[in-house]
Amino acid sequence: AQSVTQLGSHVSVSEGALVLLRCNYSSSVPPYLFWYVQYPNQGLQLLLKYTSAATLVKGINGFEAEFKKSETSFHLTKPSAHMSDAAEYFCAVSRPGTGNQFYFGTGTSLTVIP
Amino acid sequence: KAGVTQTPRYLIKTRGQQVTLSCSPISGHRSVSWYQQTPGQGLQFLFEYFSETQRNKGNFPGRFSGRQFSNSRSEMNVSTLELGDSALYLCASSSYPQGAGSTDTQYFGPGTRLTVL
């Protein structure tokens, strides 16, 4: 079975500081991994995805994530936080070949302090 | 391309009623998935439809059902509403360039906010 754990339901960073949002997964087979962002009263927007190609994945808005199989992690980072990054972030895992049944983490709310 | 659209955006119902939510996927997308989002349970997978067939189903009671039409539009129905069904219901579509059974990026709509009184 697939599952995702996001450590830290709330993360606060200062504007310009490093953003690090943690995601650990559990999967019986090499998974596909995704990061989505959700702004208030909106749906989810894809930030980036890992589908067994390069382990360092670059996404939109300056975000990137690194797939580390040995640590079963897929942490999301951004070198310099911007006020507009304040949102809810979700990590998701799916099992290739089984369709689009995504398992989401519980989310991390990012606050950016001016 | 237009994104995923969901109607209505907001709904208020009372216990015992039924409700139907609609989702129009991105043009050319053949897969539609539905998710329930609540503060307590987070995002939970309801079901996925591909070419009018339900391919995956989450762990929800039979009161939750769905269907997909030949134009890939999908509807979700909840019968005998309970207070706990109050949630944001999200629809997502994907194109499946690698064919049925593959996993592809899902693009989400803005959701339908259902409130059950």
Side-chain angles (χ1 to χ4, degrees), chain A residues 32 34 36 38 41-46 49 90 94-102 104-105, chain B residues 9 31 33 35 37 43 45 48 55-56 88 90 94 96 101-106 108-110:
Chain A
Y32 286 172
F34 303 79
Y36 284 86
Q38 185 178 35
N41 298 316
Q42 294 187 27
L44 277 68
Q45 179 184 6
L46 178 71
K49 65 179 180 181
F90 293 92
S94 69
R95 180 176 174 176
T98 61
N100 273 340
Q101 183 166 357
F102 281 25
F104 282 87
Chain B
R9 290 294 310 278
S31 166
S33 299
Y35 292 83
Q37 185 178 24
L43 278 153
F45 173 79
E48 179 199 6
R55 181 165 56 184
N56 286 303
L88 180 67
L90 293 165
S94 62
Y96 277 83
S102 65
T103 298
D104 197 14
T105 302
Q106 294 193 73
F108 285 79

Side-chain angles (χ1 to χ4, degrees), chain A residues 4 11 36 112:
Chain A
V4 171
V11 170
Y36 284 86
V112 181

Side-chain angles (χ1 to χ4, degrees), chain B residues 41-107:
Chain B
Q41 299 298 318
L43 278 153
Q44 293 187 286
F45 173 79
L46 280 155
F47 29 66
E48 179 199 6
Y49 285 87
F50 178 79
S51 292
E52 302 179 64
T53 301
Q54 186 182 89
R55 181 165 56 184
N56 286 303
K57 189 177 189 304
N59 190 26
F60 277 82
R63 299 185 298 107
F64 292 82
S65 63
R67 59 177 175 170
Q68 186 179 34
F69 302 94
S70 59
N71 61 358
S72 294
R73 190 177 70 84
S74 177
E75 288 183 346
M76 190 192 92
N77 185 275
V78 187
S79 63
T80 319
L81 284 166
E82 301 177 358
L83 295 177
D85 297 333
S86 294
L88 180 67
Y89 290 89
L90 293 165
C91 166
S93 75
S94 62
S95 64
Y96 277 83
Q98 298 176 25
S102 65
T103 298
D104 197 14
T105 302
Q106 294 193 73
Y107 296 88

Side-chain angles (χ1 to χ4, degrees), chain A residues 8-89:
Chain A
S9 57
H10 294 88
V11 170
S12 294
V13 299
S14 297
E15 190 174 16
L18 171 71
V19 176
L20 170 60
L21 304 182
R22 300 177 185 275
C23 173
N24 288 87
Y25 68 90
S26 171
S27 178
S28 55
V29 298
Y32 286 172
L33 293 158
F34 303 79
W35 274 100
Y36 284 86
V37 61
Q38 185 178 35
Y39 297 99
N41 298 316
Q42 294 187 27
L44 277 68
Q45 179 184 6
L46 178 71
L47 282 175
L48 48 80
K49 65 179 180 181
Y50 166 77
T51 57
S52 74
T55 56
L56 181 62
V57 181
K58 294 187 183 297
I60 63 171
N61 301 338
F63 284 95
E64 63 181 38
E66 186 173 7
F67 173 72
K68 292 186 176 180
K69 183 178 179 180
S70 61
E71 299 176 8
T72 61
S73 68
F74 191 58
H75 302 330
L76 181 70
T77 61
K78 181 175 180 177
S80 177
H82 191 272
M83 295 298 294
S84 61
D85 294 329
E88 189 89 14
Y89 292 81

